[in-house]
């Protein structure tokens, strides 16, 4: 809530919009002066750390430059979502709110990062191995490798549906998926970005 901090954050956003820097290093090198500090954004950041007494770093940003419309949703001061879309503004705003609540990792199942899929596959495999060990110990028959493989695949498919936006049940009407709601409102969501305060900072 500090005025100098807010000015720095707003200035950084404006610099991203205007100059389209490739990454946070390029952003930090852009010219900017504030509160007697400068001549770059990085110099202002360093100066304000001393002035405010709080450590601050630019960790990430997302620039939408396709010319599509944007809808945003703020959940208090802790979660912010921007949705890039064509179509109905109310539907897009609803999607932004849905993203804040359900925290999908991608638009579709195919877009889920490979490392997340592999992690889920290894969890399912470990569970199957545990079940087999329990069955053996109890003197019960162990499932065939084919059935175990199908169970693991089933677990992964279920996970993909749970974490991809279009497959999730829409928060305002769980009788339809987000994709079905968008089709009904003739709206296309192209991308979304969700930022949560403190997300990704290793304690």
């Amino acid at each position: 809530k500090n005025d100098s901090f807010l000015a720095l954050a707003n200035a950084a956003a404006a610099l991203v919009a205007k100059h389209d820097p490739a990454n946070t290093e390029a952003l930090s090198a852009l010219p900017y002066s504030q509160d007697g500090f400068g001549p770059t954004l990085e110099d202002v950041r360093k100066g304000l750390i001393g002035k405010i007494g709080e450590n601050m770093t630019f960790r990430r940003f997302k620039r939408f430059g396709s010319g599509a419309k944007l809808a945003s949703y703020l959940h208090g001061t802790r979660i912010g979502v921007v949705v890039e879309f064509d179509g109905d503004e109310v539907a897009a705003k609803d999607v932004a709110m849905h993203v804040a609540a359900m925290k999908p990792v991608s638009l579709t199942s195919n877009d889920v990062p490979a490392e997340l899929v592999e992690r889920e596959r290894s969890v399912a495999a470990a569970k199957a191995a545990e079940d087999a060990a329990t069955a053996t110990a109890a003197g019960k028959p162990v499932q065939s490798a084919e059935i175990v493989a199908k169970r693991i695949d089933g677990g992964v498919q279920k996970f993909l549906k749970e974490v991809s936006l279009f497959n999730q049940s829409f928060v305002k009407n769980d009788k339809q998926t987000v994709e079905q709601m968008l089709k009904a409102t003739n709206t296309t969501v192209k991308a979304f970005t969700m930022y949560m305060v403190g997300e990704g900072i290793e304690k």
Side-chain angles (χ1 to χ4, degrees):
K1 293 176 182 175
N2 177 286
D3 287 341
S4 292
F5 173 81
L6 293 175
L8 178 70
N10 287 329
L15 288 169
V16 167
K18 186 176 179 186
H19 297 284
D20 192 14
N23 50 37
T24 52
E25 288 77 20
L27 169 64
S28 296
L30 290 171
Y32 178 63
S33 297
Q34 179 192 318
D35 294 4
F37 303 113
T40 67
L41 188 69
E42 175 64 7
D43 294 318
V44 176
R45 180 190 74 84
K46 285 178 180 169
L48 288 181
I49 288 174
K51 181 181 175 185
I52 299 170
E54 294 285 351
N55 192 18
M56 299 173 279
T57 55
F58 289 104
R59 294 175 49 228
R60 56 192 173 156
F61 61 84
K62 170 71 177 173
R63 184 178 186 273
F64 294 93
S66 72
K69 293 189 278 187
L70 299 176
S72 63
Y73 173 76
L74 277 178
H75 186 74
T77 56
R78 301 200 65 77
I79 301 175
V81 178
V82 175
V83 170
E84 187 178 24
F85 75 101
D86 283 323
D88 184 73
E89 195 142 345
V90 174
K93 190 101 176 164
D94 281 346
V95 169
M97 188 185 73
H98 172 98
V99 168
M102 302 308 292
K103 302 172 182 57
V105 298
S106 66
L107 282 179
T108 70
S109 300
N110 293 336
D111 303 326
V112 176
E115 65 269 18
L116 285 185
V117 178
E118 279 315 304
R119 192 171 72 197
E120 191 59 30
R121 188 174 291 284
S122 61
V123 166
K127 173 85 172 77
E130 191 184 306
D131 291 349
T134 305
T136 303
K140 293 177 181 173
V142 176
Q143 290 178 328
S144 70
E146 195 178 326
I147 291 173
V148 169
K150 278 185 179 168
R151 270 184 58 202
I152 292 169
D153 273 345
V156 171
Q157 291 309 315
K158 182 172 179 279
F159 166 76
L160 290 173
K161 282 187 174 174
E162 287 170 355
V163 299
S164 56
L165 174 65
F166 292 163
N167 287 312
Q168 289 180 337
S169 295
F170 180 42
V171 285
K172 283 189 159 183
N173 175 10
D174 62 7
K175 300 284 186 286
Q176 61 181 177
T177 63
V178 171
E179 187 170 37
Q180 288 166 336
M181 181 277 286
L182 289 169
K183 273 186 182 154
T185 56
N186 208 18
T187 303
T188 307
V189 167
K190 301 179 167 193
F192 69 85
T193 296
M194 177 179 70
Y195 285 163
M196 293 169 62
V197 172
E199 181 186 21
I201 297 176
E202 301 309 326
K203 289 276 188 276

